[in-house]
């Protein structure tokens, strides 16, 4: 029903907003804004370059383009799992 679909959409939005992913012991925010920001960083960095990144606990560390690409893959998989729940 439409009510069930709307409830699912609200739950999905909440799950996406609170999502994190772990990469090599580092916990990254994985909401839609974080995904867009990491995508932009990956696009702007050259291979071998790095940038500072604020993690989910607000710790700042440096990550290479390759590391951020791996994080982006994890985020994509996590989002897919949420979007296409049965």
């Amino acid at each position: 029903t439409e009510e069930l679909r709307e409830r699912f959409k609200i739950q999905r939005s909440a799950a996406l907003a609170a999502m994190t992913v772990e990469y090599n012991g580092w916990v990254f925010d994985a909401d839609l804004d974080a995904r867009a920001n990491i995508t932009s960083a990956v696009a702007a960095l050259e291979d071998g370059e790095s940038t500072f990144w604020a993690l989910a606990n607000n710790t700042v560390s440096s990550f290479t383009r390759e590391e951020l690409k791996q994080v982006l893959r994890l985020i994509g998989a996590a989002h897919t799992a949420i979007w296409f729940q049965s």
Side-chain angles (χ1 to χ4, degrees):
T1 69
E2 191 61 32
E3 182 181 331
L4 289 175
R5 174 127 177 88
E6 286 304 313
R7 190 175 324 148
F8 169 74
K9 287 168 63 176
I10 290 168
Q11 291 170 340
R12 179 182 64 200
S13 292
L16 288 170
M19 185 174 285
T20 60
V21 296
E22 185 175 337
Y23 173 76
N24 283 349
W26 300 99
V27 179
F28 289 77
D29 289 318
D31 61 18
L32 294 173
D33 289 337
R35 186 178 188 174
N37 292 338
I38 293 173
T39 299
S40 294
V42 167
L45 293 169
E46 299 289 336
D47 286 341
E49 288 185 327
S50 62
T51 190
F52 289 104
W53 203 264
L55 298 163
N57 67 359
N58 293 320
T59 299
V60 176
S61 192
S62 180
F63 295 93
T64 65
R65 179 177 191 258
E66 292 74 21
E67 288 172 319
L68 291 177
K69 281 175 69 174
Q70 292 303 315
V71 172
L72 193 55
R73 287 185 177 130
L74 292 171
I75 292 172
H79 284 202
T80 297
I82 294 292
W83 276 94
F84 298 106
Q85 294 178 39
S86 49

